[in-house]
Amino acid sequence: MTESYVIVGAGPVGRQTAELLRDRGDQVAVVTRSGRGVIDGVRSVAADATDSAALSKVADGAAALFNCANPGDYTRWQEMWPPLAESLLATAERTGALLAVTSNLYPYGPTTAPMVEGQPDAATDHKGRLRADMWTEAKARHDAGRIRMVEVRGSDYVGAGVGENGHITRHVPAASRGKAAWVIGKADQPHTWTDVADVARTLVAVAGRPDCWGRVWHVPSNEPRSQRQALTEVLAAGGYEPVAVRAIPMPALRGLAMVNPLMREIAELSYMWTRPYVLDSSRTQQTLNLRPTPWEEVCRRTLAGN
């Protein structure tokens, strides 16, 4: 049966989700501010997603509304996310569409053990609290019967189209020319990497499973690899030699944070790069019978698509 879906955001996750839904024969609309052509066979809509009245017109009759947005200015999340999150909630309530949210691991805060679904959101930094509060509000409205929602959380992105927004992918162009890479924190701490294609597969899967709604699900992700290992293996997928991977000293990062707003935001989350940062996705894999894309394929797609 053909369904209608609306996706807010045309980044790598939004694009992958749109392609999955299109390829199975569903009708898909992607909402962006510009409305410029995004994907063959997918309707592009120019709308301000913070305007719930406008968004509701697009989502009227849709089975699900996918939040794949990611405000581009990392330093302005505190002002940009709340009106967008509220508009999505209001649209879901007005139209009855399931709200499927793409999120990250920020709400959990610093941790010393693999992150599992259901553990407390213990973040104290403002970005982590922001994402945790978004989940809490959406969950409260779901439990009150006002909306239906589900949230998917993944770790740092790799895969096609991530580019400058990824901690590994941003280094690929220069590293493929033999240039050294300077990474945040420690270069050899185990870290989980999530393929954007697997984020999309998980979103589509949980959106079609009412028994999954009202909960957080982790994106199936491969075994953790350090920043050095991940970059080296991505390069190897194209036959490139390893490059030097050096860590930016924490005192230097803190110094930059005093004068650079973006570095200030990154420094606040530096715990992710100075200790193991591992995502456990076993529950999703078992419940939904999903597996992460094989790492070798992830590396090839990461190299080819960035």
Side-chain angles (χ1 to χ4, degrees), residues 6-17:
V6 174
I7 299 169
V8 175
V13 173
R15 293 179 64 87
Q16 296 271 359
T17 303

Side-chain angles (χ1 to χ4, degrees), residues 56-212:
S56 294
K57 290 181 180 178
V58 181
D60 185 36
L65 172 65
F66 292 91
N67 175 10
C68 299
N70 190 33
D73 189 340
Y74 199 62
T75 67
R76 296 178 58 206
W77 274 24
Q78 295 300 121
E79 61 182 278
M80 297 178 74
W81 259 126
L84 177 56
E86 177 56 37
S87 175
L88 289 160
L89 291 171
T91 299
E93 185 166 0
R94 182 179 289 121
T95 64
L98 169 77
L99 177 60
V101 178
T102 312
S103 190
N104 55 30
L105 306 181
Y106 289 6
Y108 296 133
T111 180
T112 57
M115 288 164 274
V116 297
E117 297 100 328
Q119 74 181 62
D121 286 343
T124 57
D125 63 275
H126 67 278
K127 273 188 165 55
R129 287 309 324 154
L130 174 65
R131 292 304 312 227
D133 289 345
M134 287 169 59
W135 156 253
T136 299
E137 179 61 26
K139 171 69 167 154
R141 296 194 195 190
H142 173 91
D143 290 347
R146 296 173 58 184
I147 66 170
R148 299 169 298 146
M149 65 82 61
V150 64
E151 180 163 295
V152 167
R153 295 181 182 180
S155 191
D156 291 275
Y157 289 164
V158 287
V162 179
E164 285 294 317
N165 294 317
H167 287 277
I168 289 300
T169 54
R170 70 165 59 104
H171 298 296
V172 168
S176 65
R177 299 192 299 272
K179 302 291 186 181
W182 286 88
V183 299
I184 298 167
K186 297 180 179 179
D188 295 305
Q189 288 293 319
H191 195 95
T192 295
W193 307 94
T194 298
D195 190 330
V196 288
D198 293 331
V199 181
R201 290 196 301 129
T202 308
L203 279 169
V204 171
V206 297
R209 289 276 300 264
D211 59 318
C212 293

